[in-house]
Amino acid sequence: MSDEDDLEDFDADQDDLEKEEDERETEEWEDYRKEGEDLSEEWLPTPLTEDMMKEGLSLLCKTGNGLAHAYVKLEVKERDLTDIYLLRSYIHLRYVDVSENHLTDLSPLNFLTHLLWLKADGNHLRSARLNELPYLQVASFAYNQITDTEGISHPRLGSLDLKGNRIRMVTGLDPQKLISLHTLELRGNQIETTLGINLPKLKNLFLAQNMLKKVEGLENLSNLTTLHLRDNQIETLSGFSKEMTSLQYLNLRFLEGQRQDWSRLDRQPLCCRARNAEHASPQRGNMVTRLGELAKLRDLPKLRALVLLDNPCTDESDYRQEALVQIAHLERLDKDFYEEEERAEADEIRQMMKETQEQEAEPEHSFELEQSSM
């Protein structure tokens, strides 16, 4: 596949991803409101029962030496569960969905050493900590009350979703243990710094709707391809390193009026979440004001798509041209690809700037020669 073909596929995927993100955020909150209408703010203890297991089990597969069979998939969503102790006995489970319950403890899952896929969204978890699960590949803990990223050390984990929690700083993600992690979703938390995300294998990092003011400590993310920073509090583009040699897509958009301030919601029963979501006040978003900031991205060797929509700098009349002058290898700005005419004009401007700089340097050089000859 050529670079051009790769770019076309890449950008199409990103457009779809952005659209799906916005639609998914809206749908999730609408679901929470609908589900919360008939729920009380208090709930009774509701343990997982054998009858619930019978209803939720599916996907009969071979186990062990292939002579025995067991159901390996369980879905027990929206059952008001407060206890899943019974799962300790179902050691052959590979796919588990316990979303939209009232769970505060997932420790029974430590016994499911064959687990491949876990979804525990919309509960009351304060931690995603589990024992090392050797085969776990996908884990989602979205919309809980999780405050840190400690205790996540699954060697085959490829995708980790922690959006909509209360995380302020990323800590404890050990690159020696998370050797397969390629996608990290941290959207809608209270994260104030990008320090602590030292995961060289990471390819996709989603940090939208947090409280970031700048980028720092991402120098080791040499495989990072996609970085979403939309709707934070970023004013400067300092912190992007030439060591980020794979970064192709950077989103710094400010979606004013479209965000839900997840970080401030009291994640109690769904009815409370829905009510609080309706009254949440958006924070100030990204405010990149100076076009000169774009020069700080020119050392990103593979940056091909940049999104700055709704930042103040986009109001400048020469915004689109200046971006291409500063970042010669840029292929797309916001939603539009650059045309050949725009590239030619940017090349001319860069050449003129170079000649001007050389002319300004000549008198200084002549003066130095004159002084040395005296």
Side-chain angles (χ1 to χ4, degrees):
M1 179 180 291
S2 67
D3 290 341
E4 290 77 9
D5 292 338
D6 181 60
L7 176 63
E8 186 173 330
D9 292 342
F10 174 81
D11 287 322
D13 290 344
Q14 289 300 327
D15 284 338
D16 292 342
L17 179 59
E18 289 176 43
K19 182 178 179 181
E20 288 172 6
E21 272 187 359
D22 295 338
E23 291 176 351
R24 187 170 63 245
E25 289 166 17
T26 303
E27 289 172 0
E28 284 170 349
W29 281 110
E30 287 177 351
D31 289 344
Y32 285 159
R33 293 190 185 98
K34 291 176 183 177
E35 293 169 4
E37 288 175 355
D38 299 324
L39 289 177
S40 169
E41 293 190 14
E42 301 294 332
W43 59 89
L44 297 174
T46 307
L48 181 63
T49 64
E50 292 287 359
D51 287 339
M52 292 180 187
M53 292 294 298
K54 290 178 182 177
E55 292 178 16
L57 285 169
S58 62
L59 193 59
L60 189 64
C61 293
K62 292 180 179 180
T63 63
N65 59 10
L67 300 178
H69 290 76
Y71 289 105
V72 300
K73 183 178 181 180
L74 175 67
E75 181 179 305
V76 282
K77 296 171 57 178
E78 303 176 28
R79 299 297 188 97
D80 295 336
L81 294 175
T82 58
D83 180 359
I84 55 172
Y85 182 84
L86 187 60
L87 287 186
R88 293 163 60 104
S89 303
Y90 288 80
I91 60 173
H92 297 296
L93 285 173
R94 301 174 191 171
Y95 309 92
V96 172
D97 188 347
V98 291
S99 299
E100 306 305 337
N101 287 293
H102 304 306
L103 299 175
T104 59
D105 178 24
L106 294 180
S107 60
L109 299 177
N110 289 327
F111 293 83
L112 308 187
T113 55
H114 297 281
L115 197 62
L116 299 174
W117 184 92
L118 170 63
K119 189 171 184 180
D121 299 349
N123 281 283
H124 302 276
L125 303 173
R126 294 188 179 275
S127 173
R129 184 184 296 272
L130 287 168
N131 292 348
E132 183 177 302
L133 296 171
Y135 302 109
L136 186 63
Q137 299 175 24
V138 177
S140 182
F141 305 96
Y143 309 115
N144 279 281
Q145 301 175 34
I146 295 170
T147 58
D148 61 61
T149 54
E150 298 285 340
I152 302 172
S153 58
H154 316 293
R156 285 187 171 84
L157 187 63
S159 177
L160 174 61
D161 191 340
L162 290 163
K163 68 173 170 281
N165 280 284
R166 296 177 174 179
I167 300 166
R168 288 188 177 275
M169 185 172 181
V170 178
T171 58
L173 297 184
D174 187 345
Q176 301 301 317
K177 295 180 178 179
L178 294 169
I179 56 176
S180 303
L181 192 64
H182 57 73
T183 299
L184 178 58
E185 169 65 271
L186 289 165
R187 180 165 35 109
N189 280 276
Q190 302 173 10
I191 298 172
E192 298 177 349
T193 176
T194 53
L195 293 173
I197 309 177
N198 182 22
L199 298 162
K201 297 293 182 68
L202 203 63
K203 293 184 178 180
N204 306 296
L205 178 57
F206 300 92
L207 286 165
Q209 296 175 312
N210 278 285
M211 300 170 67
L212 299 171
K213 294 183 178 180
K214 61 180 179 179
V215 171
E216 54 186 335
L218 300 184
E219 294 83 5
N220 292 328
L221 302 189
S222 58
N223 288 298
L224 191 67
T225 299
T226 300
L227 178 57
H228 274 241
L229 293 166
R230 63 190 180 95
D231 221 6
N232 276 278
Q233 300 175 20
I234 294 173
E235 296 182 358
T236 175
L237 299 183
S238 299
F240 290 94
S241 169
K242 62 181 180 181
E243 304 302 321
M244 301 170 72
T245 54
S246 299
L247 188 61
Q248 299 178 33
Y249 180 89
L250 176 60
N251 191 325
L252 287 156
R253 185 178 185 181
F254 171 32
L255 294 177
E256 185 175 12
Q258 298 184 33
R259 68 177 293 178
Q260 295 288 354
D261 190 7
W262 294 330
S263 64
R264 295 181 180 272
L265 294 184
D266 182 14
R267 302 180 211 289
Q268 296 300 316
L270 294 178
C271 57
C272 297
R273 284 184 246 167
R275 184 170 60 249
N276 290 339
E278 290 174 347
H279 298 291
S281 300
Q283 299 177 356
R284 177 173 60 90
N286 293 331
M287 295 290 286
V288 180
T289 58
R290 296 177 56 252
L291 287 178
E293 289 291 312
L294 297 174
K296 298 175 181 178
L297 301 179
R298 77 169 54 134
D299 288 335
L300 298 172
K302 288 191 177 179
L303 184 63
R304 295 185 290 174
L306 175 64
V307 181
L308 281 168
L309 287 169
D310 300 320
N311 278 267
C313 66
T314 64
D315 294 332
E316 299 292 330
S317 58
D318 56 348
Y319 155 64
R320 185 170 173 82
Q321 181 187 76
E322 181 66 18
L324 189 56
V325 169
Q326 297 290 355
I327 313 169
H329 48 276
L330 199 62
E331 298 279 348
R332 194 191 80 177
L333 181 64
D334 300 330
K335 296 292 184 180
D336 300 316
F337 281 88
Y338 279 104
E339 302 292 340
E340 287 302 319
E341 292 180 0
E342 294 177 293
R343 294 196 165 282
E345 187 174 354
D347 289 341
E348 290 179 6
I349 294 173
R350 277 193 297 273
Q351 183 61 33
M352 291 172 58
M353 292 172 61
K354 181 181 178 181
E355 292 173 356
T356 300
Q357 291 172 355
E358 290 174 349
Q359 291 173 2
E360 291 175 350
E362 282 180 3
E364 296 180 6
H365 181 63
S366 299
F367 178 75
E368 290 175 357
L369 291 175
E370 184 179 342
Q371 291 284 68
S372 62
S373 62
M374 292 177 63

